[in-house]
Coordinates of all heavy atoms in Angstrom, one line a residue:
M4 N 19.3 -27.5 89.7 CA 19.1 -26.2 90.3 C 20.4 -25.9 91.1 O 20.9 -26.7 91.8 CB 17.9 -26.2 91.2 CG 17.3 -24.8 91.4 SD 15.9 -24.8 92.5 CE 14.8 -25.9 91.6
N5 N 20.9 -24.7 90.9 CA 22.2 -24.3 91.5 C 22.0 -23.6 92.9 O 23.0 -23.3 93.5 CB 23.0 -23.4 90.6 CG 23.4 -24.1 89.3 OD1 23.6 -25.3 89.3 ND2 23.4 -23.3 88.3
A6 N 20.8 -23.4 93.3 CA 20.5 -22.6 94.6 C 19.6 -23.4 95.4 O 18.9 -24.3 95.0 CB 19.9 -21.3 94.2
P7 N 19.6 -23.1 96.7 CA 18.6 -23.8 97.6 C 17.2 -23.4 97.2 O 16.9 -22.3 96.7 CB 18.9 -23.2 99.0 CG 20.2 -22.4 98.9 CD 20.5 -22.2 97.5
A8 N 16.3 -24.4 97.5 CA 14.9 -24.2 97.1 C 14.3 -23.0 97.7 O 13.5 -22.2 97.1 CB 14.1 -25.4 97.4
W9 N 14.6 -22.7 99.0 CA 14.0 -21.6 99.7 C 14.4 -20.3 99.1 O 13.6 -19.3 99.0 CB 14.4 -21.6 101.2 CG 15.8 -21.4 101.5 CD1 16.8 -22.4 101.6 CD2 16.5 -20.1 101.6 NE1 18.0 -21.8 101.8 CE2 17.9 -20.4 101.8 CE3 16.1 -18.8 101.5 CZ2 18.9 -19.5 102.0 CZ3 17.1 -17.8 101.7 CH2 18.4 -18.2 101.9
R10 N 15.6 -20.2 98.5 CA 16.0 -18.9 97.9 C 15.3 -18.7 96.6 O 14.9 -17.6 96.3 CB 17.5 -18.9 97.7 CG 18.0 -17.6 97.2 CD 19.5 -17.5 97.3 NE 19.9 -16.2 96.8 CZ 21.1 -16.0 96.3 NH1 22.0 -16.9 96.3 NH2 21.4 -14.8 95.8
V11 N 15.1 -19.8 95.8 CA 14.4 -19.7 94.6 C 12.9 -19.2 94.8 O 12.4 -18.3 94.2 CB 14.4 -21.0 93.8 CG1 13.5 -20.9 92.6 CG2 15.8 -21.4 93.4
W12 N 12.3 -19.8 95.8 CA 10.9 -19.4 96.1 C 10.8 -18.0 96.7 O 9.8 -17.3 96.4 CB 10.3 -20.4 97.2 CG 9.9 -21.7 96.5 CD1 10.5 -22.9 96.7 CD2 8.8 -21.9 95.6 NE1 9.8 -23.8 95.9 CE2 8.8 -23.2 95.2 CE3 7.9 -21.0 95.0 CZ2 7.9 -23.8 94.3 CZ3 7.0 -21.6 94.1 CH2 7.0 -22.9 93.7
L13 N 11.8 -17.6 97.4 CA 11.8 -16.2 97.9 C 11.9 -15.2 96.7 O 11.2 -14.2 96.7 CB 13.0 -16.0 98.8 CG 13.2 -14.5 99.3 CD1 12.1 -14.1 100.2 CD2 14.6 -14.4 100.0
V14 N 12.8 -15.5 95.7 CA 12.9 -14.6 94.6 C 11.6 -14.7 93.7 O 11.2 -13.6 93.2 CB 14.2 -15.0 93.8 CG1 14.3 -14.1 92.5 CG2 15.4 -14.8 94.6
V15 N 11.0 -15.8 93.6 CA 9.7 -15.9 92.9 C 8.7 -15.0 93.6 O 7.9 -14.3 92.9 CB 9.2 -17.4 92.8 CG1 7.8 -17.5 92.3 CG2 10.1 -18.2 91.9
A16 N 8.6 -15.1 94.9 CA 7.7 -14.2 95.6 C 8.0 -12.8 95.4 O 7.0 -11.9 95.2 CB 7.7 -14.6 97.1
L17 N 9.2 -12.4 95.4 CA 9.6 -11.0 95.1 C 9.2 -10.6 93.7 O 8.7 -9.4 93.6 CB 11.1 -10.8 95.4 CG 11.6 -10.8 96.8 CD1 13.1 -10.9 96.8 CD2 11.1 -9.6 97.5
V18 N 9.5 -11.4 92.7 CA 9.1 -11.0 91.4 C 7.6 -10.8 91.3 O 7.1 -9.8 90.7 CB 9.5 -12.1 90.4 CG1 8.9 -11.9 89.0 CG2 11.1 -12.1 90.3
C19 N 6.8 -11.7 91.9 CA 5.3 -11.6 91.9 C 4.9 -10.3 92.6 O 4.0 -9.5 92.1 CB 4.7 -12.8 92.5 SG 4.9 -14.3 91.6
G20 N 5.5 -10.0 93.7 CA 5.2 -8.8 94.5 C 5.5 -7.5 93.8 O 4.7 -6.6 93.8
W21 N 6.7 -7.5 93.2 CA 7.0 -6.3 92.4 C 6.1 -6.1 91.2 O 5.8 -5.0 90.8 CB 8.5 -6.3 92.0 CG 9.4 -6.1 93.1 CD1 10.4 -7.0 93.4 CD2 9.5 -5.0 94.1 NE1 11.1 -6.5 94.5 CE2 10.5 -5.3 94.9 CE3 8.7 -3.9 94.2 CZ2 10.9 -4.5 96.0 CZ3 9.0 -3.1 95.3 CH2 10.1 -3.3 96.2
G22 N 5.7 -7.2 90.6 CA 4.8 -7.1 89.5 C 3.4 -6.6 89.9 O 2.9 -5.7 89.2
I23 N 2.9 -7.1 91.0 CA 1.6 -6.6 91.5 C 1.7 -5.1 91.9 O 0.8 -4.3 91.5 CB 1.2 -7.4 92.7 CG1 0.8 -8.9 92.2 CG2 0.0 -6.8 93.4 CD1 0.7 -9.9 93.4
L24 N 2.8 -4.7 92.6 CA 2.9 -3.3 92.9 C 3.1 -2.4 91.7 O 2.5 -1.3 91.7 CB 4.2 -3.1 93.8 CG 4.0 -3.4 95.3 CD1 5.3 -3.3 96.1 CD2 2.9 -2.5 95.9
S25 N 3.8 -2.9 90.7 CA 4.0 -2.0 89.5 C 2.6 -1.8 88.8 O 2.3 -0.7 88.3 CB 5.0 -2.6 88.6 OG 4.6 -3.9 88.1
I26 N 1.8 -2.9 88.8 CA 0.5 -2.7 88.2 C -0.4 -1.7 88.9 O -1.0 -0.9 88.4 CB -0.2 -4.1 88.1 CG1 0.5 -5.0 87.0 CG2 -1.7 -4.0 87.7 CD1 0.0 -6.4 87.1
R27 N -0.3 -1.8 90.3 CA -1.1 -0.9 91.1 C -0.6 0.6 90.9 O -1.5 1.5 90.8 CB -1.0 -1.2 92.6 CG -1.7 -2.5 93.0 CD -3.2 -2.3 92.8 NE -3.8 -1.6 93.9 CZ -5.0 -1.1 93.9 NH1 -5.7 -1.2 92.8 NH2 -5.5 -0.5 95.0
F28 N 0.7 0.8 90.8 CA 1.2 2.2 90.6 C 0.9 2.7 89.2 O 0.6 3.9 89.1 CB 2.7 2.2 90.9 CG 3.0 2.2 92.4 CD1 3.9 1.3 92.9 CD2 2.4 3.1 93.2 CE1 4.2 1.3 94.3 CE2 2.7 3.1 94.6 CZ 3.6 2.2 95.1
V29 N 0.9 1.8 88.2 CA 0.5 2.2 86.9 C -1.0 2.6 86.8 O -1.4 3.6 86.2 CB 0.8 1.1 85.8 CG1 0.1 1.4 84.5 CG2 2.3 1.0 85.6
Q30 N -1.8 1.9 87.5 CA -3.3 2.2 87.6 C -3.5 3.5 88.3 O -4.4 4.3 87.9 CB -4.0 1.1 88.3 CG -4.2 -0.2 87.5 CD -4.9 -1.3 88.3 OE1 -5.0 -1.2 89.6 NE2 -5.3 -2.3 87.7
R31 N -2.7 3.8 89.3 CA -2.9 5.1 90.0 C -2.1 6.2 89.3 O -2.1 7.4 89.7 CB -2.3 5.0 91.4 CG -3.2 4.1 92.2 CD -2.6 4.0 93.6 NE -3.4 3.1 94.5 CZ -3.2 3.0 95.7 NH1 -2.2 3.6 96.3 NH2 -4.0 2.1 96.4
Q32 N -1.4 5.9 88.2 CA -0.6 6.9 87.4 C 0.5 7.5 88.3 O 0.8 8.7 88.1 CB -1.5 7.9 86.7 CG -2.4 7.3 85.7 CD -3.2 8.3 85.0 OE1 -3.2 9.5 85.4 NE2 -4.0 7.9 84.0
E33 N 1.1 6.8 89.1 CA 2.3 7.2 89.9 C 3.5 6.7 89.2 O 4.0 5.6 89.6 CB 2.2 6.7 91.3 CG 1.0 7.3 92.1 CD 0.9 6.8 93.5 OE1 1.8 6.3 94.0 OE2 -0.2 7.0 94.1
W34 N 4.0 7.4 88.2 CA 5.0 6.9 87.3 C 6.4 6.6 87.9 O 7.0 5.6 87.6 CB 5.1 7.8 86.1 CG 3.8 7.9 85.4 CD1 3.1 9.1 85.3 CD2 3.0 6.9 84.8 NE1 1.9 8.8 84.6 CE2 1.8 7.5 84.3 CE3 3.2 5.5 84.6 CZ2 0.8 6.8 83.6 CZ3 2.2 4.8 83.9 CH2 1.0 5.4 83.5
P35 N 6.9 7.5 88.8 CA 8.2 7.2 89.4 C 8.2 5.9 90.2 O 9.1 5.1 90.1 CB 8.5 8.4 90.3 CG 7.6 9.5 89.8 CD 6.4 8.8 89.2
M36 N 7.1 5.7 91.0 CA 7.1 4.4 91.8 C 6.9 3.2 90.9 O 7.4 2.1 91.1 CB 6.0 4.5 92.8 CG 6.3 5.4 94.0 SD 7.8 5.0 94.8 CE 7.4 3.5 95.6
A37 N 6.1 3.4 89.8 CA 5.9 2.3 88.9 C 7.2 1.9 88.2 O 7.5 0.7 88.0 CB 4.8 2.7 87.8
G38 N 8.0 2.9 87.8 CA 9.3 2.7 87.2 C 10.2 2.0 88.1 O 10.9 1.1 87.7
L39 N 10.2 2.4 89.4 CA 11.1 1.7 90.4 C 10.7 0.3 90.6 O 11.6 -0.6 90.6 CB 11.0 2.5 91.7 CG 11.8 1.9 92.9 CD1 13.3 2.0 92.5 CD2 11.5 2.7 94.1
C40 N 9.4 0.0 90.7 CA 8.9 -1.3 90.8 C 9.3 -2.2 89.6 O 9.6 -3.4 89.8 CB 7.4 -1.4 91.1 SG 7.0 -0.8 92.7
L41 N 9.1 -1.6 88.4 CA 9.5 -2.4 87.2 C 11.0 -2.7 87.2 O 11.4 -3.8 86.8 CB 9.0 -1.6 86.0 CG 7.6 -1.7 85.7 CD1 7.2 -0.7 84.6 CD2 7.1 -3.1 85.4
L42 N 11.8 -1.7 87.6 CA 13.2 -1.9 87.7 C 13.6 -3.1 88.6 O 14.4 -4.0 88.3 CB 14.0 -0.7 88.1 CG 15.5 -0.8 88.2 CD1 16.1 -1.0 86.9 CD2 16.0 0.5 88.9
L43 N 13.0 -3.1 89.8 CA 13.2 -4.1 90.8 C 12.7 -5.5 90.3 O 13.2 -6.5 90.5 CB 12.6 -3.8 92.1 CG 13.4 -2.6 92.8 CD1 12.5 -2.1 94.0 CD2 14.7 -3.1 93.3
L44 N 11.5 -5.5 89.5 CA 11.0 -6.7 89.0 C 12.0 -7.3 88.0 O 12.3 -8.5 88.0 CB 9.7 -6.4 88.2 CG 9.1 -7.5 87.4 CD1 8.3 -8.5 88.3 CD2 8.2 -6.9 86.3
I45 N 12.6 -6.5 87.1 CA 13.5 -6.9 86.1 C 14.8 -7.5 86.8 O 15.3 -8.5 86.5 CB 13.9 -5.8 85.1 CG1 12.6 -5.5 84.3 CG2 15.0 -6.2 84.2 CD1 12.7 -4.3 83.4
T46 N 15.3 -6.8 87.8 CA 16.4 -7.2 88.6 C 16.2 -8.5 89.2 O 17.1 -9.4 89.1 CB 16.8 -6.1 89.6 OG1 17.0 -4.9 89.0 CG2 18.1 -6.5 90.4
N47 N 15.1 -8.7 89.9 CA 14.8 -10.0 90.5 C 14.6 -11.1 89.5 O 14.9 -12.3 89.7 CB 13.6 -9.9 91.4 CG 14.0 -9.2 92.7 OD1 14.9 -9.7 93.4 ND2 13.4 -8.1 93.1
A48 N 14.0 -10.8 88.3 CA 13.8 -11.8 87.3 C 15.1 -12.3 86.8 O 15.3 -13.5 86.5 CB 12.9 -11.2 86.2
V49 N 16.1 -11.4 86.6 CA 17.4 -11.8 86.2 C 18.1 -12.6 87.2 O 18.7 -13.7 86.9 CB 18.3 -10.5 85.8 CG1 19.8 -10.9 85.6 CG2 17.7 -9.8 84.6
T50 N 17.9 -12.3 88.5 CA 18.5 -13.1 89.6 C 17.8 -14.5 89.6 O 18.6 -15.5 89.8 CB 18.2 -12.4 90.9 OG1 18.8 -11.1 90.9 CG2 18.7 -13.2 92.1
L51 N 16.5 -14.6 89.4 CA 15.9 -15.9 89.3 C 16.4 -16.7 88.1 O 16.6 -17.9 88.3 CB 14.4 -15.6 89.2 CG 13.5 -16.9 89.1 CD1 13.6 -17.7 90.4 CD2 12.1 -16.5 88.8
W52 N 16.6 -16.1 87.0 CA 17.2 -16.8 85.9 C 18.6 -17.3 86.2 O 18.9 -18.4 85.8 CB 17.2 -15.8 84.6 CG 17.8 -16.5 83.5 CD1 17.3 -17.4 82.7 CD2 19.1 -16.2 82.9 NE1 18.2 -17.7 81.7 CE2 19.4 -17.0 81.8 CE3 20.1 -15.2 83.3 CZ2 20.5 -16.9 81.1 CZ3 21.3 -15.2 82.6 CH2 21.5 -16.0 81.5
R53 N 19.4 -16.5 86.8 CA 20.7 -16.9 87.2 C 20.7 -18.1 88.2 O 21.6 -18.9 88.2 CB 21.6 -15.8 87.7 CG 21.9 -14.8 86.7 CD 22.8 -13.7 87.3 NE 23.2 -12.7 86.2 CZ 23.7 -11.6 86.5 NH1 24.0 -11.2 87.7 NH2 24.0 -10.8 85.5
L54 N 19.8 -18.0 89.1 CA 19.7 -19.1 90.1 C 19.2 -20.4 89.6 O 19.6 -21.5 90.1 CB 18.7 -18.7 91.3 CG 19.1 -17.6 92.2 CD1 18.0 -17.3 93.2 CD2 20.3 -18.0 93.0
T55 N 18.4 -20.4 88.5 CA 17.8 -21.6 88.0 C 18.4 -22.1 86.7 O 18.0 -23.2 86.2 CB 16.3 -21.4 87.8 OG1 16.1 -20.3 86.9 CG2 15.6 -21.2 89.1
K56 N 19.4 -21.4 86.1 CA 20.0 -21.9 84.9 C 20.8 -23.1 85.1 O 21.5 -23.2 86.2 CB 20.8 -20.8 84.1 CG 22.1 -20.4 84.8 CD 22.8 -19.3 83.9 CE 24.1 -19.0 84.5 NZ 24.8 -18.0 83.7
H57 N 20.8 -24.0 84.2 CA 21.6 -25.3 84.3 C 23.0 -25.1 83.7 O 23.1 -24.5 82.7 CB 20.8 -26.4 83.7 CG 19.5 -26.6 84.3 ND1 19.3 -27.2 85.5 CD2 18.2 -26.3 83.9 CE1 18.0 -27.3 85.8 NE2 17.3 -26.7 84.8
G58 N 23.9 -25.7 84.4 CA 25.3 -25.6 83.8 C 25.9 -24.3 84.1 O 25.3 -23.4 84.5
K59 N 27.2 -24.3 83.9 CA 28.0 -23.0 84.1 C 28.9 -22.8 83.0 O 29.4 -23.6 82.4 CB 28.7 -23.1 85.5 CG 27.8 -23.1 86.6 CD 28.6 -23.0 87.9 CE 27.6 -22.9 89.1 NZ 28.3 -22.8 90.4

């Protein structure tokens, strides 16, 4: 792992949180907020992938 454990867990929590929020906004049919949450979910997922990839 290329990053400290606390940072990886923080990003995991953010990915989960954005996923939960995006599901809630889709259920309420609030599309702009759902889109924003999905964008942030994808951004944090890419960050998580970069933090945990092996080798450079």
Side-chain angles (χ1 to χ4, degrees):
M4 204 178 300
N5 296 329
W9 64 268
R10 187 167 179 203
V11 173
W12 284 110
L13 175 66
V14 176
V15 167
L17 285 171
V18 168
C19 293
W21 290 124
I23 292 167
L24 277 176
S25 63
I26 290 170
R27 288 297 278 167
F28 283 127
V29 166
Q30 287 175 345
R31 293 182 181 183
Q32 297 181 353
E33 296 179 18
W34 304 116
M36 290 301 293
L39 179 64
C40 289
L41 285 173
L42 177 66
L43 289 168
L44 171 81
I45 292 168
T46 303
N47 282 303
V49 169
T50 301
L51 181 63
W52 176 72
R53 288 181 180 170
L54 287 175
T55 58
K56 71 178 180 178
H57 297 287
K59 290 186 177 179

